[in-house]
Amino acid sequence: MQTDRVFVGRNETLQRFLHAVAQPPAVLFVAGEAGSGKTRLINEWRRQAAGTVLAAACPPIRPPLPLAAATGLLLSAEPHLAPASTLNPLLGVLRPLLPELADRMPPGLPGLADPAEDRHRMLRAIGALLGSLGRVTLVVEDLQWIDPDSRDLLSLLLSAPLPEVCLVLSYRPEELAVPGLPLGVAAAYAPQMRSATVRVHPLQADDVRRLVRQVRRQDPPADFTARLTAVTGGVPRVIEDVLEQLRAPGEESDGNGFGRFAPPARLRELTNARVAALSTAGRRIAEAAAVLDEPVAEELLAEVSGMDAGEGRDALVEVLAGAVLAEAEDGRYGYRIPLAARAVYEVMPGPWRRELHSRAAIALAHGNAAPQLARLAHHHRRSGQHKAWMRHAEAAAERYIADGDNESAIATLEEVLADQTVPRNVRTRLTIRLAQTAEVGRRSDQTVALLRRIIADDRLPVAARGELRLKLGLVLMNQAGEYVEGAAEVEQAVDELHERPALAARAMAVLSWPVLHFSSFSRDLGWLERAEEAAAVCDDDAIKMAVLANRATLLMNCGDPAAWTVAQRLTTEGGSNLAVRQQVARGLQNLADATILLGRHRAAEDFLRQATELADQVGASVTSTTARCTMLRLDWAMGRWPGLADRAAEFTGPDGPTTTVEGHLVTGQLAMARGDWDTAESSLAAAGVAAPHTSTVPVVAAASGSHIRVLAARGQLDEAVAETRRAVARVRAKAIWNWAAELAPYAVHVLGQARLTGEARDLAEEFAEGMRGLESPLAEASLELCRGHLLAAEDRHAEAVAHFAGAAKGFAAQPRPYEAAQAEEGRARSELALRPGDADALATLAAAGTAFAALGAGWDAARCQHTLREHGVVARGGRPGYGGGLTPREREVARLAAQGRTNREIAQMLFLSPRTVEQHVARSLHKLGVHSRAELAGVELDLPG
C-alpha cells in the first residue's frame, strides 16, 4: 500500500509548524503518541521548508548509544560541509566520532587528560560544525529514547543558541522518562530562543474518511468509517495498518464489535512489550482492563484483578506511567486504542481470561440499563455461564427495544441465535422476536440466514412459519434489495397465515407496494383491496394503519387527488400505540418519496420532517435511514447540490437496499451533470439500469433517463434508443405514468435525434394519456418539455419555444432548477434556429449556462458556452480574482485529470480544445504544488455537489 502522499487532518498544525520555525533561533516540540503522524507531519514540512535540514532519529536501544542522535545529524551534514581547509581546526576532534567524514575534517587533535574537558571540547566542536552551515534546521525525532550526550548537546543549543539554527524535536509524551520534560531535564532557554509546541492529535471521523479515500481510492461507507475510527482511536498509523489487513471497506463486519478488525502487528508488539515491562500487579490491571474492554473506574479494575483498593491504585499508577492504559475524560481508565485491548486479551491464557470474566460478571451484576445487561451477558458467556448469558442477553434485547435501539437489539439476538447449543424453545422465541425487530431495524445478512434456517424446520407450527416468512420477506425487500425473492416469500406467507387474518392482511398490503417491477398497477390494487377486506375484520390497529399507509402511498404515486385525504388520516388516526406509530412513520416516509415524484417539494419536506421525527421517537431506524436517502433525492431535485455527492456516497455501501439504489442514482445523476460519464454509467447501472429487478420502478426510470443522456452524449445513439425502448416498456408494464416524468423528456429527445419522430410523438401522447385526470406538477412540466423536444426535432421551432417556456415555468415553480435550465436552453436553441444570432436568445442561453454552472453541472454549462462561442459571444469584463487558487474551469479540468482522463477526453466532455485542456492541467499542477496527474488524486479539490 503506497501511503507516502496521504496527508489529512493536519493542515492547521502544519501552518503552525511553518510559522514556528520560520525565523531562527527557535525550537519547536512536536508531541504525539506512537503512530500519530509526527514523522509524516515533519516530512510534509520538509517538502515545503526552505534552507538546509539535518535530520536524525534516536534509536530505541537500551542502554542508549553515546551521541547517537548527534552523530546522525553530523553525518547528514556531509553534502553541506565547506572544504576542510576552511573549517575551524577544533572540528578535528570529530574525526574519531565520524570516520566516514575523516577526509572532510581538519587534522585530528590529541585527547585531553581530563574526560570532562575532552567532552566539553567535543560538544564545542559539534556546535562549531553546525554553526558553519549557515541557515539550518535540526530535526531530532523520538526524544523519549535520546542518549545523555545528545540530550546535553540539545540543552546547550537551547541555552546558547546558534543564530542561524532552528530545532524541531519530536517525542511521545506517554513514554517520557520524566513526564512533561521532553529532554528528561528542565531546559534553560536563552532569552532570544523562541519556543513552541504542536500536538498531533488523533484524527476525527471526517479525516479518517479522507484518509481511507486517499489510501483505497474509494469512498468508504459511513458505518465503516465510524467503526474504524473507534477501534483505532483515530491513530493514522494504526488505521493504515488495519486497512492493509482488509480486502475492502465494508467486509470487516460480523456483528460482534471488532468484527474482522484485528490488531496490526506494530500495535500488537508495542502494546504487549509495554505490558511485559510491568510488574505482576501491573499486568493484572492491564489484563483486567482488556477483559472489561471499556474505560472503567479504578475500583472496578481493582476488583476484577483481585486486588484491594490500595494495591489496585498503586498498580494502576504504574500502568498509566507505562503508557499501557490512559485516563478518559470522566475519570475512568482503559486502553486508548481499543484494538490494543484485544492485542492483550488474545495472548492471555484461557483459564485466566475466564476467571476475569467471571469476576467482571459478579462486579457488574447490579446494572439494569440495556448496555449494562449486554456487557453482563458478554461476561457470563465468556466465563462459561451459558444459562446466565442467554437470560441476560434476552433481557438486554428487550431493554434495547424499549429504548428504541433496534440495531443493538438485533445484534444481541443474532449473537445468541448464532450459537447452535441454544435450546429449541428459546431459539424459536428469540427468532420471532428477532424477526419482529428486524422489520424496523437495519439490514443484517445474519438475520436473513437465521430466519431461513428456522423456517426450514418442519417442526415449526404453520402459523409461526407464516409470521417468520412474512418478516423474512420484509427484510429481503426493505433492507436487502431482494425484491423478487422477498415478494415470493410474502406471497407464500399469505397462505400460511390463513388462521391469522391480521398478519395475512399485512402480507397482502406488502404485495400492494407499487414500486415493484413484477406486478402491474391493477394487480397492486387487487392486493390492496384484499388487504383492506382482511384488515376490516381484525382488531389489530397496527395492521389497519399499515394497510391505510399503503393505500395513501399507492394513490400518491399515481397522482390521484384522493391521496391527500387518505394521507391526512395517517396523522389523525395514529394514536399512541408504538406499533401503530411505526406504521405511521413508514407511511409518511413513503408519502415524502411519492410527493417528490409529483414535484410537490414543499409537501415532501413536510412529510419528511414528520416521518423523521416520528421514526426517531419510535425506534424505526429503517424509516430514519430511508428518510435520509429520500432527502438526497429531494436535494437533487431542488438543486441543493453542495456536499450532495459525499452524502450520496454514504448510501452506496451496506446500509440497505432502497438507500443503496437511490444513493447510486443520485451519484450517477451528479456525475452525468458534471460530465464524468464513466462514474455516471457505473452508478446508474448499480441504481438498477443493469438489473432492474434489484431496484424499484421509479428509481430505474430516473436512472434510465440519465443513462440515455450519457449514451447520447458519447455518440452511442443506437444504444440510447435501445435503452429508451427498454425503459419505456418497464413504465408501460407498471402503468403508473407519473414515474415517466424523469424519463420521457430524454427519451423523446433521443428519439428525435435518431429521426424517430413518429415514435417520439407516440410516447409523448401515451405519457399524456397516462396522466389524464391525475395531478402531478412534475409530470405536467415534463410533458411540456417532451413536446418542446418533439417539435424542435420536427423543425417546428416557433411552437417548440412556447412549450419549452411552459416547461421552464413549471419546473421553476416546484422548484427543479436543473430541469428548468434545460428547458430554457431548449427555448434558446429553438429561438436561435428561428433567428440566428438573436441577442435575446443568446442572453437566455447564457442565463441557462450560468444556472448550470451555479449548480455544478459543468457538462451542461460547457455545452451552453460552446454554443455561445460559436455565435461569437465572449464573456465581457475582467475575470474574478482567485489569487493562487484554482479557477472553476481549472478545478473541473483537474478533477477529470485526477480520474485518469486524457486531454482529448476532457476536451470532449467540456467542449474545449485539447490544447486548452493541456494549459489548464499545467496551471492546476503548478498551483496545487504537485508534479503529476497521478498526484492530483490525493488532493481535495473542493468541488460542488
Side-chain angles (χ1 to χ4, degrees):
M1 180 185 302
Q2 297 298 317
T3 60
D4 57 316
R5 295 195 183 100
V6 176
F7 187 72
V8 298
R10 306 296 190 211
N11 288 322
E12 184 177 340
T13 305
L14 177 61
Q15 294 308 310
R16 293 202 305 271
F17 193 135
L18 290 164
H19 177 74
V21 293
Q23 191 64 38
V27 58
L28 174 68
F29 291 97
V30 181
E33 65 185 305
S36 60
K38 301 182 296 297
T39 298
R40 181 68 187 85
L41 176 67
I42 290 170
N43 288 342
E44 186 66 21
W45 162 76
R46 290 186 66 175
R47 199 171 72 85
Q48 302 185 30
T52 301
V53 176
L54 307 183
C58 304
I61 298 175
R62 289 293 178 266
L65 302 175
L67 285 170
T71 302
L73 290 175
L74 297 177
L75 289 174
S76 66
E78 179 182 10
H80 311 287
L81 291 175
S85 60
T86 66
L87 293 176
N88 187 328
L90 181 62
L91 270 60
V93 76
L94 298 178
R95 279 177 169 259
L97 180 66
L98 305 171
E100 301 95 330
L101 303 182
D103 61 338
R104 304 292 304 274
M105 295 288 116
L109 299 177
L112 300 178
D114 186 342
E117 291 183 3
D118 199 56
R119 182 170 178 274
H120 179 243
R121 185 172 66 168
M122 175 73 71
L123 293 176
R124 286 179 55 218
I126 293 174
L129 187 152
L130 296 174
S132 72
L133 300 177
R135 176 73 179 273
V136 65
T137 301
L138 309 180
V139 176
V140 179
E141 297 197 61
D142 294 317
L143 286 186
Q144 71 276 1
W145 297 322
I146 195 167
D147 63 273
D149 295 314
S150 297
R151 179 194 63 202
D152 290 346
L153 171 64
L154 295 180
S155 296
L156 180 63
L157 294 175
L158 293 175
S159 60
L162 298 171
E164 293 298 312
V165 174
C166 287
L167 302 174
V168 173
L169 311 176
S170 77
Y171 64 95
R172 300 177 183 178
E174 73 274 17
E175 293 189 23
L176 292 177
V178 182
L181 295 180
L183 291 174
V185 295
Y189 295 90
Q192 69 271 33
M193 173 66 76
R194 295 184 302 109
S195 174
T197 299
V198 296
R199 289 177 171 79
V200 185
H201 297 289
L203 298 177
Q204 300 301 307
D206 284 347
D207 291 324
V208 172
R209 179 183 61 81
R210 295 188 183 95
L211 190 153
V212 176
R213 184 170 64 188
Q214 291 191 18
V215 171
R216 306 301 292 269
R217 295 292 186 260
Q218 63 183 115
D219 275 306
D223 60 341
F224 175 90
T225 300
R227 287 195 296 272
L228 182 62
T229 304
V231 301
T232 61
V235 177
R237 181 70 267 171
V238 180
I239 293 169
E240 293 182 21
D241 286 349
V242 168
L243 291 174
E244 183 70 38
Q245 295 178 163
L246 297 176
R247 288 179 297 169
E251 294 187 357
E252 85 300 339
S253 178
D254 65 0
N256 291 311
F258 288 112
R260 296 179 191 169
F261 286 131
R266 264 185 282 233
L267 178 65
R268 190 187 300 275
E269 293 176 9
L270 174 65
T271 303
N272 284 313
R274 289 176 174 178
V275 172
L278 299 172
S279 67
T280 300
R283 285 197 297 275
R284 286 166 63 185
I285 288 289
E287 290 165 346
V291 165
L292 290 165
D293 197 22
E294 62 181 348
V296 298
E298 64 176 89
E299 295 81 5
L300 182 57
L301 280 173
E303 183 176 356
V304 173
S305 63
M307 290 184 274
D308 63 33
E311 292 173 328
R313 185 178 301 110
D314 292 342
L316 177 59
V317 169
E318 178 196 359
V319 173
L320 292 171
V324 175
L325 301 185
E327 182 177 3
E329 292 180 359
D330 57 359
R332 296 171 179 264
Y333 302 90
Y335 289 87
R336 211 202 67 69
I337 301 173
L339 282 177
R342 185 167 180 177
V344 174
Y345 185 88
E346 289 177 348
V347 298
M348 292 169 59
W352 179 236
R353 283 201 308 265
R354 288 193 293 275
E355 172 66 22
L356 292 183
H357 278 297
S358 180
R359 293 178 186 175
I362 294 171
L364 297 170
H366 303 297
N368 58 8
Q372 293 172 313
L373 290 169
R375 295 302 297 171
L376 187 56
H378 167 75
H379 290 302
H380 277 306
R381 185 184 191 189
R382 296 300 181 187
S383 64
Q385 305 292 324
H386 277 240
K387 288 185 178 180
W389 160 52
M390 288 184 284
R391 183 173 68 254
H392 285 96
E394 185 172 3
E398 292 300 332
R399 186 59 56 88
Y400 277 129
I401 292 169
D403 293 342
D405 187 355
N406 290 306
E407 278 65 54
S408 295
I410 290 171
T412 302
L413 292 169
E414 285 179 342
E415 184 176 4
V416 177
L417 291 168
D419 191 316
Q420 297 304 308
T421 66
V422 175
R424 182 174 303 280
N425 62 327
V426 176
R427 177 177 296 277
T428 301
R429 182 177 71 250
L430 295 187
T431 301
I432 291 175
R433 196 66 175 119
L434 172 64
Q436 293 168 340
T437 309
E439 183 183 346
V440 292
R442 280 195 280 187
R443 171 183 180 176
S444 169
D445 293 337
Q446 190 171 351
T447 296
V448 171
L450 285 167
L451 291 175
R452 282 180 167 148
R453 189 160 58 243
I454 297 296
I455 290 170
D457 188 341
D458 293 336
R459 292 168 291 183
L460 193 67
V462 174
R465 180 181 290 106
E467 180 177 2
L468 290 178
R469 196 183 301 279
L470 169 60
K471 302 303 183 183
L472 172 60
L474 288 169
V475 171
L476 288 170
M477 294 168 69
N478 292 338
Q479 287 126 277
E482 300 291 343
Y483 298 106
V484 175
E485 187 176 356
E489 295 285 357
V490 173
E491 189 164 356
Q492 187 174 347
V494 171
D495 295 331
E496 294 172 333
L497 291 169
H498 61 274
E499 295 179 354
R500 303 182 68 179
L503 285 177
R506 179 71 201 286
M508 296 172 194
V510 169
L511 294 170
S512 73
W513 195 32
V515 300
L516 304 177
H517 281 276
F518 48 80
S519 66
S520 64
F521 171 71
S522 60
R523 190 166 184 265
D524 297 338
L525 188 59
W527 277 116
L528 180 61
E529 290 171 349
R530 287 182 61 186
E532 289 172 332
E533 291 174 4
V537 298
C538 77
D539 57 0
D540 190 321
D541 291 338
I543 297 297
K544 292 181 177 180
M545 183 55 68
V547 174
L548 180 65
N550 280 26
R551 173 162 284 278
T553 299
L554 184 63
L555 296 179
M556 194 68 78
N557 272 285
C558 296
D560 190 324
W564 298 97
T565 302
V566 182
Q568 182 65 30
R569 292 175 56 194
L570 284 184
T571 52
T572 58
E573 300 178 14
S576 58
N577 179 278
L578 178 64
V580 171
R581 297 174 73 210
Q582 288 175 339
Q583 292 301 328
V584 172
R586 181 185 65 84
L588 290 169
Q589 152 57 32
N590 288 343
L591 289 172
D593 197 62
T595 45
I596 292 173
L597 300 175
L598 294 178
R600 296 194 178 276
H601 297 158
R602 302 309 175 194
E605 288 183 313
D606 190 47
F607 283 132
L608 203 53
R609 176 187 56 78
Q610 294 180 67
T612 301
E613 291 175 357
L614 188 54
D616 290 342
Q617 292 171 15
V618 299
S621 55
V622 168
T623 300
S624 296
T625 301
T626 307
R628 288 174 54 218
C629 193
T630 296
M631 181 58 77
L632 298 179
R633 295 286 309 275
L634 184 59
D635 286 343
W636 158 262
M638 297 183 72
R640 300 187 295 222
W641 293 5
L644 186 56
D646 286 340
R647 289 192 289 122
E650 296 178 13
F651 292 89
T652 56
D655 287 311
T658 304
T659 55
T660 295
V661 295
E662 294 200 353
H664 282 300
L665 171 62
V666 172
T667 298
Q669 289 173 320
L670 289 168
M672 170 204 65
R674 64 177 183 257
D676 182 0
W677 293 329
D678 286 347
T679 299
E681 288 214 60
S682 62
S683 296
L684 295 170
V689 169
H693 65 280
T694 64
S695 186
T696 64
V697 178
V699 167
V700 177
S704 294
S706 295
H707 190 220
I708 289 165
R709 294 190 73 201
V710 172
L711 291 172
R714 284 186 144 172
Q716 298 171 306
L717 196 57
D718 289 344
E719 291 88 341
V721 170
E723 176 60 29
T724 292
R725 289 169 175 163
R726 288 191 295 268
V728 171
R730 287 190 287 267
V731 175
R732 184 179 293 123
K734 174 54 71 172
I736 298 180
W737 279 95
N738 181 58
W739 292 342
E742 295 182 88
L743 164 67
Y746 310 121
V748 169
H749 192 202
V750 160
L751 291 172
Q753 287 179 303
R755 301 186 182 280
L756 299 170
T757 53
E759 188 175 346
R761 178 170 294 281
D762 290 343
L763 172 56
E765 290 177 354
E766 190 176 10
F767 183 18
E769 182 60 29
M771 291 306 301
R772 188 180 304 279
L774 304 174
E775 296 177 357
S776 170
L778 176 57
E780 292 166 10
S782 295
L783 185 56
E784 285 288 273
L785 189 55
C786 286
R787 288 166 173 156
H789 285 313
L790 175 62
L791 291 165
E794 295 175 338
D795 291 329
R796 296 162 62 185
H797 290 289
E799 298 170 76
V801 165
H803 287 288
F804 281 129
K809 183 178 179 180
F811 286 129
Q814 297 172 39
R816 287 185 79 103
Y818 185 49
E819 288 84 351
Q822 292 175 34
E824 291 287 17
E825 179 189 359
R827 177 165 74 97
R829 292 185 183 281
S830 280
E831 288 175 338
L832 288 171
L834 292 170
R835 300 179 299 280
D838 181 77
D840 290 339
L842 292 172
T844 300
L845 185 61
T850 300
F852 286 134
L855 287 167
W859 171 50
D860 301 273
R863 185 177 59 248
C864 294
Q865 289 299 320
H866 178 69
T867 302
L868 289 169
R869 288 195 301 271
E870 288 183 331
H871 284 80
V873 177
V874 179
R876 298 183 180 278
R879 292 185 177 182
Y882 295 95
L886 301 183
T887 67
R889 176 62 78 197
E890 289 167 349
R891 187 181 297 113
E892 187 70 13
V893 169
R895 178 184 60 76
L896 293 170
Q899 295 171 358
R901 310 286 186 185
T902 67
N903 287 352
R904 186 167 298 280
E905 288 173 332
I906 297 171
Q908 183 183 15
M909 290 179 183
L910 300 181
F911 300 92
L912 300 171
S913 71
R915 175 61 179 165
T916 299
V917 171
E918 180 182 350
Q919 294 169 347
H920 283 315
V921 170
R923 284 195 293 267
S924 299
L925 294 174
H926 175 73
K927 289 182 179 181
L928 293 170
V930 296
H931 306 291
S932 70
R933 298 163 81 106
E935 290 184 60
L936 288 172
V939 178
E940 293 283 341
L941 295 173
D942 191 26
L943 291 170

